[in-house]
Amino acid sequence: MKLEGNTPLTFDLFGNEPLQSQAAVEQIGPCSWVLRGFALPWVQPMLPAVQAVLAQAPFRHMVTPGGFTMSAALSSCGSVGWTTDRHGYRYSAVDPQTGQPWPAMPQVLMELACAAASETGFPDFIPDACLINRYLPGAKMSLHQDKDEQDLQWPVVSVSLGISAVFLFGGLERKDKARRVALQHGDIVVWGGVDRLRYHGILPIKPAEHPLLGEQRINLTFRKAM
Ligand code: SIN
Ligand code: FE2
């Protein structure tokens, strides 16, 4: 799917009313934005699509090269998925847990990622990987850079669903002060360009109940990996 530069944010999904978003935009870096509530119109068709992915590639807790088990549970869809084990971080076409290719990226997810990227000046972004992180209360993501992708000209598009989180958005060095950005259900963060390698993470999730998703936060992170 190719979206032209000035394409309005309308998509004819399943022949129904086109989805569109009029999100409030907050700039958090020279090339980084939070699109408040941008994903909300997509949530209804997105949840069954994510469930279908998870039926094929269930959540699992991966181990880092340093031997730590990640507190967020992870899955992926797309032509490649991100994995980690004692040997390192990498993208793989096969889910190491099932030995099968990762589930294809559902069209509704692709459309949402493309719409958000387009809104922030990346109209040609076509992700090939969508990481799905599940945070139960107490789970966190330590400060890290997304740098396992081959071509860093493409942004990271990160969709938050479920209970809220505090996103840490640091600088290009680990020691740089990180700003705290509260992320709610439906918010999207996009970072690219000069901000592409900024450190980021998630503070331990506080217990809460979301009307649709219960006591969990789901994060979908789209990248062009290969
Ligand atoms: C990540 O950096 O992979 C996830 C960020 C998030 O959960 O918002
Ligand atoms: Fe990340």
Side-chain angles (χ1 to χ4, degrees), residues 11-193:
F11 300 90
D12 192 359
L13 268 179
F14 315 127
N16 297 325
E17 282 296 298
L19 295 176
Q20 50 187 310
S21 213
Q22 280 109 28
V25 180
E26 286 167 29
Q27 193 159 6
I28 56 168
C31 208
S32 311
W33 299 269
V34 182
L35 307 175
R36 294 290 178 197
F38 190 95
L40 291 176
W42 277 266
V43 168
Q44 207 192 324
M46 218 162 55
L47 291 182
V50 171
Q51 261 159 10
V53 166
L54 294 170
Q56 268 182 269
F59 280 128
R60 77 292 308 262
H61 290 273
M62 291 187 183
V63 176
T64 66
F68 293 102
T69 299
M70 295 177 69
S71 60
L74 188 67
S75 184
S76 279
C77 61
S79 53
V80 289
W82 185 85
T83 68
T84 173
D85 58 21
R86 291 308 299 250
H87 306 290
Y89 306 119
R90 65 191 163 279
Y91 282 97
S92 157
V94 168
D95 175 351
Q97 184 164 285
T98 63
Q100 298 297 311
W102 294 101
M105 193 182 302
Q107 193 187 334
V108 58
L109 298 192
M110 174 72 87
E111 289 182 357
L112 173 58
C114 291
S118 204
E119 181 77 359
T120 50
F122 297 96
D124 299 325
F125 179 60
I126 308 283
D128 55 10
C130 170
L131 277 67
I132 309 171
N133 287 299
R134 184 195 61 198
Y135 300 78
L136 299 181
K140 67 182 174 70
M141 183 83 66
S142 303
L143 274 183
H144 65 278
Q145 294 170 296
D146 289 3
K147 59 177 183 188
D148 301 320
E149 298 73 32
Q150 270 174 20
D151 183 350
L152 297 174
Q153 75 161 297
W154 300 107
V156 176
V157 173
S158 172
V159 179
S160 292
L161 299 172
I163 63 179
S164 57
V166 177
F167 180 63
L168 296 174
F169 196 51
L172 295 175
E173 296 195 55
R174 187 181 289 278
K175 64 172 168 50
D176 294 341
K177 189 171 161 50
R179 86 191 262 171
R180 294 174 173 215
V181 181
L183 295 180
Q184 318 287 350
H185 178 73
D187 291 348
I188 299 189
V189 186
V190 182
W191 63 97

